[in-house]
Amino acid sequence: MELTIRNLCKTYSNGVKALDNVSLDIPRGMFGLLGPNGAGKSTLIKALALSFPECHQAIKWGFGTSFGYFAQDGGSRIKAADLSVLEWLWQFCSDKPQSFVQGMLGRMLFTQDDAKKSTKDLSGGELARLNFAYLMMLKPNVLLLDEPTNHLDLETIDALTLALKDYPGTLLIVSHDRTFVAALAERIIEMTPTGINNFLGNYAEFVESRDRDYLDVVKESQAS
């Protein structure tokens, strides 16, 4: 078993209870995390990334697990560093030659000129791509992705999708991008106000079986 969650609860300082006694077993695989807005999807991903100390006891990762976390607001810490793109990434692999770092950046569509830019001047899409270059460098066996396609153009989304299709580890995705989720998710974890459903099928099979599509904004707004 890759991950065991037992009685996970999270209440924010404003009194909002985002997670209430969540219990779930997640094996290896590619998972899409779906549900209505406010169901706690991003909170769950953040908790699994061990961002909430009070939640640690409820989460047990399998032996030898290493995870990489792509947060929606992850670009802010990169921007604040005020280093060149090359310098920012190189600090995490200082034992590697510059050619290695440039190669990692190239995989995320950064040119040599781009590598000279200051992180404080990067766009949202560039920050996201740099964050992915960092995650690729870490080579984790689990990726926790919270809205990874935000700010990305179609070319970058296609490149990211192709890269993740070949990813050998476990993938948990929170995303409103239907095409992205459909291309990658082999199983669906549905979060609802009444609990969690672990669906043993892909995104298309989930939509057909539930006769609903959380990623179809028009249909969902009409249903609510």
Side-chain angles (χ1 to χ4, degrees), residues 53-73:
E54 67 272 27
C55 297
H56 287 188
Q57 289 188 341
I59 298 166
K60 184 178 180 181
W61 285 101
F63 177 76
T65 299
S66 60
F67 61 80
Y69 172 43
F70 183 96
Q72 289 192 52
D73 59 353

Side-chain angles (χ1 to χ4, degrees), residues 150-170:
N150 284 0
H151 310 296
L152 298 182
D153 58 28
L154 290 177
E155 180 185 7
T156 308
I157 293 173
D158 287 345
L160 177 61
T161 302
L162 287 174
L164 291 175
K165 279 185 175 181
D166 293 331
Y167 180 63
T170 292

Side-chain angles (χ1 to χ4, degrees), residues 79-128:
K79 187 179 282 285
D82 193 13
L83 298 170
S84 74
V85 168
L86 180 68
E87 289 170 337
W88 185 85
L89 188 59
W90 205 351
Q91 67 181 321
F92 302 106
C93 56
S94 57
D95 60 325
K96 301 290 186 180
Q98 181 173 329
S99 58
F100 171 84
V101 184
Q102 288 175 327
M104 298 301 294
L105 292 172
R107 291 177 64 184
M108 278 292 104
L109 309 181
F110 285 99
T111 66
Q112 288 191 359
D113 286 340
D114 291 334
K116 300 173 184 177
K117 289 183 179 179
S118 171
T119 56
K120 66 181 178 63
D121 296 326
L122 296 182
S123 67
E126 289 171 325
L127 289 168

